[in-house]
Amino acid sequence: MMKDYINTLEIEFMRYADEVNASAQKKYLKNQFEFFGIKTPQRREIQKAFLHKDYLPPKLELATILKECWQKPQREFQHFALDLSYKYLKQIEFNDIALFEYLILNKSWWDTVDGVAPKLVAEYFKKFPEQRDMYIDKWISSGNIWLQRTCLIFQLFYKDELDTKLLAYVIEQLLGTKEFFINKAIGWILRQYSRTNPQWVLEYVDKTALDPLSRREAIRLMR
């Protein structure tokens, strides 16, 4: 059944393939991934039947399906896999963190990591808070920019639940980096939190030696 599920999806993707769009999409992601050339609104329309609650695979099969989609060359499969995974947010289990790490570490780029971190990892740490600090320290010390970016942005939609002490700790571990995706993420999480607590963000920015990119992004909504 699982094979049929993915094979049928692939047939549908192939029906709507567009070489011109595929070339542009590939270029946009620095020629790292192949594409069918299906734009996001159309892909979501194609996916609807596969994400209908009556046809969702059992949770037990989710990890296998996600990994199989992750191994496909076309990026649409990875985007579909993320949309599928969101259907199981209420069923997140203790061992799912290993799956989320896999999704972050394989075929890594901002478009998938930014789908894993503030949704899947965010919900995981809400459900299993005792796991949070161990993984944050592990990921920060890993040297992997995508794990580090996850540490920054998993709280993106936490609003009043955002842990400012943890956020400050993560940022301060990463200060001084010249990595664009880290400095951009620092600014992003601070800018997002400024919607909830602008005073805290202003005070933090004023007292912290942020990269100019991070600083500029952080205060964009306030000055």
Side-chain angles (χ1 to χ4, degrees), residues 38-46:
I38 303 169
K39 294 184 178 180
T40 300
Q42 187 178 32
R43 175 178 57 78
R44 287 179 175 157
E45 191 64 31
I46 296 167

Side-chain angles (χ1 to χ4, degrees), residues 174 177-187 211 213-214:
L174 298 170
T177 182
K178 297 301 179 185
E179 174 53 57
F180 171 83
F181 287 108
I182 297 300
N183 287 324
K184 187 80 170 179
I186 291 171
D211 182 89
L213 170 62
S214 301

Side-chain angles (χ1 to χ4, degrees), residues 79-132:
H79 293 159
F80 166 78
L82 289 175
D83 289 341
L84 176 64
S85 70
Y86 303 152
K87 297 293 185 179
Y88 300 84
L89 287 176
K90 293 182 180 179
Q91 300 178 53
I92 285 178
E93 298 170 283
F94 186 80
N95 290 330
D96 284 340
I97 192 66
L99 173 62
F100 302 156
E101 273 191 324
Y102 175 91
L103 301 181
I104 294 166
L105 289 171
N106 290 274
K107 297 195 174 177
S108 311
W109 202 242
W110 63 264
D111 62 318
T112 50
V113 173
D114 293 1
V116 176
K119 291 190 177 181
L120 301 178
V121 173
E123 288 302 316
Y124 181 87
F125 285 152
K126 283 183 179 181
K127 189 168 184 179
F128 303 104
E130 72 281 3
Q131 292 282 89
R132 189 193 70 177

Side-chain angles (χ1 to χ4, degrees), residues 17-36:
D18 184 310
E19 290 185 9
V20 175
N21 287 342
S23 178
Q25 290 171 324
K26 185 175 180 179
K27 185 176 181 181
Y28 180 61
L29 292 190
K30 309 294 185 183
N31 296 311
Q32 297 181 93
F33 311 105
E34 299 298 325
F35 284 86
F36 285 110

